[in-house]
Amino acid sequence: MSTEWSSTQARPPSDGGPSLDLVLHLDRSQGLRHGLEAALREAIRSGRLRVGTSLPSTRTLAADLEVARGTVTAAYAQLTAEGYLAARQGAPTRVRWRPDVLASEEAGGDPVPTERWDLRAGWPDPASFPRQAWAAATRRVLRGAATGAFGYGDPFGHLHLRRALAGYLGRAREVRTRPDRMLVCSGYTQALDLLCRVLRSRGAKAVAMEDPCAPRYRRIAEAAGLRVVAVPCDDDGLRVDVLRGLDVAAVVTTPAHQYPLGVTLAPARRTRLVDWAGRTGAIVVEDDYDGEFRYDRQPVGAVQALDPDRVVYVGTASKTLSPALRLGWLALPGWLVEPLGEAKSLADRGSGVLDQLVLADLIERGDLDRHLRLLRQSYRRRRDLLVAGLRERGGPPPTGIAAGLHAVVPLDLGRTESDVLARARSLGIALNGLGDYWYDPGRVREQALVVGYGAPAGSAYQPTLSRFLDLWSGDDDARGRPRR
Amino acid sequence: MSTEWSSTQARPPSDGGPSLDLVLHLDRSQGLRHGLEAALREAIRSGRLRVGTSLPSTRTLAADLEVARGTVTAAYAQLTAEGYLAARQGAPTRVRWRPDVLASEEAGGDPVPTERWDLRAGWPDPASFPRQAWAAATRRVLRGAATGAFGYGDPFGHLHLRRALAGYLGRAREVRTRPDRMLVCSGYTQALDLLCRVLRSRGAKAVAMEDPCAPRYRRIAEAAGLRVVAVPCDDDGLRVDVLRGLDVAAVVTTPAHQYPLGVTLAPARRTRLVDWAGRTGAIVVEDDYDGEFRYDRQPVGAVQALDPDRVVYVGTASKTLSPALRLGWLALPGWLVEPLGEAKSLADRGSGVLDQLVLADLIERGDLDRHLRLLRQSYRRRRDLLVAGLRERGGPPPTGIAAGLHAVVPLDLGRTESDVLARARSLGIALNGLGDYWYDPGRVREQALVVGYGAPAGSAYQPTLSRFLDLWSGDDDARGRPRR
């Protein structure tokens, strides 16, 4: 029995019908028509041809396989009769049968949140994404981009974006940098991962991180082979005095708005921080995760401006546009430019270029600034509603509210985070407690909730806030008991 | 001297003029107008306000700073007189002065290739990117995407794309997978980096790679802490027999079209390869980098189909659409799904979602298949022109030409790669020799060029090919000497 392989891959389409790449194992020894039927049946049964897939027109397939068109027509008719295919006048023939074994394919899909009311810290309003502006900029970019933009790009990021960002960061965040000191990356996560890997490859053993901080950042450093030393924070931010005496290659910090406490690094500590770095040769990694959102009259520039040779500034589009873009950037000291570029090149050979060009377009046209002004108004309103709601219900005021997208809401004596969070889960409210961020969650500290007021999409904020306030004040039992 | 910080950040815009975030250090002690002038001057001198930047309208800035509008107008006029700003009727006032220290900002930008004629292997035609189809799909995606698509996404990739890819790979490449076994990543580079890091963290010490292969893949494995063992190839592809006795956790291979030799892994070796993996517990990493481009009548399915539990299939959009997208995917054995997802989450928290949704849209509408048919025709024509041109000029025929985007062109006895490549460089032709890919380039082997006929953009192919043929046949001295 001689088996031959044939395929529609081998030739250009012979008509304008739907084109489709098929790998058919065509056994010509059993006769062309039966061989074709068997090949199609096997492809559908094995799941290679999936339910809903359009087949090529009979003319195309016949030309590709070099058989008579009638042979294909007959095979299609037979499989339609057997229920494998569905034919409809004027439309392509489609696969209608699916093997049972693939019924499990839905498993492991996107996690469906069981919480209906989302107040997770660090999540911006997904409804705020400027869809129209993004679509318009994409159109402009695809019309105007040079052909070379569609080849392999610069691992540091497209020069257009690095230029636009250097200008934007200078005026908006006081960052002192130049396009040739910038690296575009996939969000803060990749920035931290690349930095940790470069430090590790240069012999570093440990890095310092704020306590509390996002636990995933500790995991990133540890996965890169670094030990994490926790440094406490107080009302003036990171305890810079504690850094003295530590043998660490870097400290990772959130000076503009400590995550999650929400405090600002005090001016005197900023100076002492860069002094420490200059003295010890360590670097400061400045995570400016929500530096664009400041609601009071005291804008706080980047620490990076105090010493661009010792501070690595990291910013992203995750809060200002969308975390789904995975766009971030580093402003680097000169001596780190080459090692970071090499690490980025070996990690993914550069970030996606189209999104970079679209962001550059939005910055250059002033669209990003306009968007940010509206966003700031919207988040400030949300914050004010939260603060007013808490005040109405009594209890201590929230902290960390001068900036950002979250507030720290202290719990009264006698109520524990775990009790309140369990209650929140049962009510379908997604929420964090400060305990989620401590280096050693077992030690008893201040009991407080971290309320991310950015997370609810658009008009979902008001009802979400109401649910939260009911939970917070103990009015959450809606099952029969009248409201106080 | 009391210094106050003020900024347009703090308030919503009070008119429709251009919005702009400024960090101005406004020293009110020297009088408002002089303080504002000094603050603007300092911001421009320090480079924080860059040349070309539009300033807010006088009305907006006055409202933001809570000063009289006339104060701002006067300050703008003064700085315009001093040459820092440029004012034009009906247009925003702009920064026109740039500090000298930033004149070096252009350094380190995109590398400008000195070669005008590009025949680098592995580069697809950048002019083939379907700009209109991509723009139209982006519009559809931005109109139709659920709000949740703009939050933090699934580190495995968006389920829409994983579904579309599982179907596409099944019918086009015979891959046996399911959406919950797929991971979307940033091109082949990231796929290999993540795999190496996962293997290393599970105790692996070494991986096998084909010799020759792309040198950057060896660097990726070594950067992850793995030793690379080179395994030779012959006319039937990877020498599977050499794997026996090696203590490696994985072998990285290009079965459809060995890179760069262009041979196909023989059927018997495919079976022996997965047998070896099953026996030793190693994995096979199948780099299907140009599997979509096959010009003869023998389509070759993926090795992965022989044993989806031991073979990791890796594909990308780099050759079919553009390497600038940085979109790739892995079809994983069940036991590798969780560790790879964790590694991806810690590396960059998932790939950009918009590009993923656009690609899913193009696959589902059949646009990708249509695009591929046209591309295949175009590349086959290019290959045929190369083969015909070489035949006309005499000499041994090129090899590895049944598929892909490059051909191996042997050199006559007595001509060395280094001589020809040096000559190519002097003529502005970017080209590779086989020597660029050997594990130990010092050892003398067959002298051959690797000609990437995909690289020239659109109609640049013909003149580029002519230049190359002249070089190859020694007719390249156009400076005075008449053509033979």
Side-chain angles (χ1 to χ4, degrees), chain A residues 251-264:
Chain A
V251 59
V252 180
T253 177
T254 47
H257 190 231
Q258 206 279 337
Y259 190 80
L261 294 177
V263 296
T264 303

Side-chain angles (χ1 to χ4, degrees), chain A residues 395-412:
Chain A
T399 60
I401 58 171
L405 308 177
H406 72 272
V408 176
V409 179
L411 290 172
D412 303 324

Side-chain angles (χ1 to χ4, degrees), chain B residues 278-290:
Chain B
R279 236 179 13 253
T280 61
I283 58 169
V284 175
V285 179
E286 178 171 23
D287 173 8
D288 197 35
Y289 70 101
D290 65 3

Side-chain angles (χ1 to χ4, degrees), chain A residues 199-219:
Chain A
L199 291 174
R200 184 77 193 85
S201 74
R202 295 165 79 93
K205 298 262 191 310
V207 292
M209 290 199 180
E210 293 175 336
D211 191 21
C213 79
R216 55 181 284 114
Y217 298 157
R218 292 193 285 257
R219 277 160 56 214

Side-chain angles (χ1 to χ4, degrees), chain A residues 5-13 18-23 25 48-50 53 60 64-66 102 104-111 122-123 126-127 129 131 134-135 138-139 142-147 149-152 154 157-159 162-163 166-167 170-174 177-180 186 189-190 193 197 216 219-220 223 291-292 294 296-297 299 301 318-319 322-326 342 345-355 366 369-370 372-373 376-377 380 457, chain B residues 5-13 18-23 25 48-50 53 60 64-66 102 104-111 122-123 126-127 129 131 134-135 138-139 142-147 149-152 154 157-159 162-163 166-167 170-174 177-180 186 189-190 193 197 216 219-220 223 291-292 294-297 299 301 318-319 322-326 342 345-355 366 369-370 372-373 376-377 380 457:
Chain A
W5 298 51
S6 292
S7 162
T8 64
Q9 272 197 331
R11 299 167 127 241
S19 61
L20 175 79
D21 285 336
L22 290 173
V23 179
H25 300 218
R48 288 207 316 280
L49 273 177
R50 317 276 300 233
T53 303
T60 303
D64 286 349
L65 298 177
E66 297 179 332
L102 285 181
S104 65
E105 78 168 47
E106 306 306 314
D110 289 340
W123 286 64
F129 186 76
R131 298 187 185 212
W134 194 270
T138 302
R139 214 163 39 238
L142 283 169
R143 218 182 279 135
T147 307
F150 299 98
Y152 283 101
D154 187 332
H158 200 288
L159 186 56
R162 287 185 283 126
R163 276 194 190 129
R171 60 187 160 79
R173 303 294 304 126
E174 275 198 273
T177 189
R178 311 184 316 210
D180 61 337
S186 297
T189 295
Q190 189 179 45
D193 180 47
R197 292 172 78 177
R216 55 181 284 114
R219 277 160 56 214
I220 290 168
E292 279 90 351
R294 196 89 209 159
D296 60 13
R297 305 284 299 159
S318 295
K319 314 294 189 245
S322 164
L325 294 174
R326 312 308 307 128
E342 170 78 359
S345 173
L346 293 181
D348 63 12
R349 211 169 171 171
S351 290
V353 170
L354 286 184
D355 286 346
D369 286 291
R370 267 184 289 278
L372 279 177
R373 292 209 159 212
R376 242 176 249 128
Q377 285 181 270
R380 178 146 69 161
Chain B
W5 297 52
S6 292
S7 163
T8 64
Q9 273 196 330
R11 301 167 125 241
S19 61
L20 175 80
D21 286 337
L22 292 174
V23 180
H25 300 219
R48 288 209 314 280
L49 271 178
R50 318 276 299 235
T53 302
T60 302
D64 286 350
L65 298 178
E66 297 180 331
L102 285 179
S104 65
E105 76 167 49
E106 305 306 315
D110 288 342
W123 285 63
F129 186 76
R131 297 188 187 214
W134 193 272
T138 302
R139 213 163 40 238
L142 283 169
R143 218 182 279 134
T147 307
F150 299 98
Y152 283 99
D154 187 332
H158 200 287
L159 185 57
R162 287 186 282 126
R163 276 193 190 129
R171 60 187 162 76
R173 302 294 304 128
E174 277 197 272
T177 189
R178 311 183 315 209
D180 60 337
S186 298
T189 295
Q190 190 180 45
D193 180 48
R197 291 172 80 177
R216 53 181 286 113
R219 276 161 55 213
I220 290 168
E292 279 90 350
R294 195 89 209 158
Y295 311 118
D296 61 13
R297 305 285 298 159
S318 295
K319 314 293 190 249
S322 164
L325 294 174
R326 310 310 305 128
E342 170 78 358
S345 172
L346 293 182
D348 64 12
R349 212 169 170 172
S351 290
V353 169
L354 285 184
D355 286 347
D369 286 291
R370 267 184 288 277
L372 280 176
R373 290 209 160 213
R376 241 175 250 128
Q377 286 180 272
R380 177 146 70 162

Side-chain angles (χ1 to χ4, degrees), chain A residues 6-49:
Chain A
S6 292
S7 162
T8 64
Q9 272 197 331
R11 299 167 127 241
S14 40
D15 65 12
S19 61
L20 175 79
D21 285 336
L22 290 173
V23 179
L24 290 182
H25 300 218
L26 185 50
D27 181 353
R28 288 171 194 252
S29 69
Q30 44 180 302
L32 279 177
R33 184 184 143 184
H34 282 106
L36 180 56
E37 286 173 21
L40 282 168
R41 225 181 266 116
E42 197 276 326
I44 296 169
R45 276 193 190 136
S46 70
R48 288 207 316 280
L49 273 177

